[in-house]
Amino acid sequence: MPEHVVIIGSGPAGWAAAIYAARANLKPLLFEGAMLQEHFDNGRPPLGQLSLTTEVENYPGFPAGDLKPYLSSALDASRQSMLMMEEKRHAVTGPELMFLMRQQAENFGTRIVAEDITSVDFGGKPFKLTTSTQTVEAHTVIIATGASANYLGLPSEAAFKNRGVSACAVCDAALPRFANHPVAVIGGGDSAVEEATYLTKFASKVYLVHRRDELRASKIMAQRAEDNEKIEILWNSVVDEVLGDDQNGMTGLRLKSTVDDTTHDVEANGMFVAIGHTPNTAFLNGQIETNKKGYVKLTTPFRTYTSVEGVYAAGDVADEYYRQAITSAGTGCMAALDAERHLAELGM
Ligand code: NAP
C-alpha cells in the first residue's frame, strides 16, 4: 500500500510537516537522513543546520532560563544522553530544539527512518522514493531537505566552527564571544552586507572581506555598508587562514590579497561566512522544477505546490531569502495542510 505522506528531511520544516500530518491521522513516514560523517562534513547532517549551532535565541517559545527540567521530562532518555544539558547557556540550543521537534512528531505517531532518499520517480503515481535498502511508494511527498551554507573549505575554518566561525549572524551575533570585539564577514553579496550591518549592533568593529573591488550586493545595501562607520571593507582579499588556539578559539584572520598575493593579519573574534548556500536538491535529479541555483520553485504564492501535483516543498530547500527556523517550520505546516487537502480531494 502506498504511503499517504512521505516527508524527506529532518529540519524544522520536516518536523512541523510531520506533526501536522500525524495529527491529521495521515501516519507520515519521515526520512531523516543517514548518520554519516560525510553529511556532517558537508553541512547537511540529520536534523539539519540547527543541529550544527549552539544557542537559538530567536525561536519563539524558548526564552532564556533553565530548560533542564523541561528537557528531562519531554525527551526520551536515549536522546537526553546525547545532549549536554548541564552546560550553562542563554537559551535552548539547536540540537535540543531539533530533538524536541523530533520527539513531538514521534509522539503523534510519525514513523522515522534514518536513511537518505537517494533517488525519486515522480513520473507516475504513486510516486516512488528509493534509499540504499528500499523503495517506498507515496501518494504525496513533502520535500524539506534544506540548504547547506557554503564554507571556504579551509582546514583552519573547520577547526574553529562554533568557536568563532559561523555561517549565520542572525543566529550567533549576540553570543558573548562576539560582543564588543572585532569580527569579520566574508562575501560581497546582500547576505554579507546584511550580516555585517547586523553585527555592528554587537561587535566593536566589522571587517567585510571581499575578493573583488566591487560588492555584488544591491546598490542600496552596498551604500549602507559603505556609510556605516563600524564597517571597514577589505577589498580584493580572501582568507588564507583562520588564526586561533585551543584556549581562546578564533582570534584573527590571515588575509591574502587577490591582487599581489601578499598577506596580512587582522584581529577578529569571529568569522561569519556569507558566500551563499547550496540547496539539497541533487537527489531530485531534475524531476522537480528548480531555479538556476537549484532551489525548488514554488508555483503558486502562499502555497507549497511544486511543478509536480502532489509534491510539496517547505523550508530552505525552496527559500533562499528568509532561511530562518521559524519560517521553515511555518512552511512545513503549510505543506502538510496542502498534502492533506490534496488527499481529501482524491478521497483518501
Ligand atoms: P550571493 O548573492 O550569491 O553572493 C555571494 C557572495 O559571496 C558574492 O559576493 C561572491 O563573490 C562571494 N563568494 C562566493 N564564493 C566565494 C568564495 N569561495 N570565496 C570568497 N567569496 C566568495 O549570495 P547571498 O548574498 O547569500 O544572496 C543570496 C540571494 O538572497 C540573493 O539573491 C540576494 O539578493 C538575496 N538576499 C537579499 C537580501 C535583502 O534584500 N535584504 C538579504 C540577503 C540575501 P563575487 O561577488 O566575487 O561572486
Side-chain angles (χ1 to χ4, degrees), residues 152 188-191 194 210-212 216 221 274-275 320-321:
L152 300 168
D190 281 327
S191 292
E194 194 170 63
H210 186 37
R211 61 185 177 185
R212 293 187 292 130
R216 175 178 295 280
M221 301 266 292
I275 60 170
E320 63 176 312
Y321 192 78

Side-chain angles (χ1 to χ4, degrees), residues 11-32:
W15 296 123
I19 291 163
Y20 271 76
R23 295 190 78 249
N25 225 6
L26 297 175
K27 300 183 175 53
L29 181 67
L30 182 145
F31 286 85
E32 67 176 345

Side-chain angles (χ1 to χ4, degrees), residues 150-153 186-195 209-218 220-221 224 237-239 273-277 293 295 320-323:
N150 297 336
Y151 281 92
L152 300 168
I186 317 302
D190 281 327
S191 292
V193 169
E194 194 170 63
E195 302 232 323
V209 180
H210 186 37
R211 61 185 177 185
R212 293 187 292 130
D213 62 359
E214 186 191 12
L215 295 174
R216 175 178 295 280
S218 56
I220 187 162
M221 301 266 292
R224 215 172 284 160
S237 301
V238 290
V239 178
V273 187
I275 60 170
H277 284 71
K293 292 181 185 168
Y295 287 87
E320 63 176 312
Y321 192 78
Y322 294 108
R323 301 192 307 242

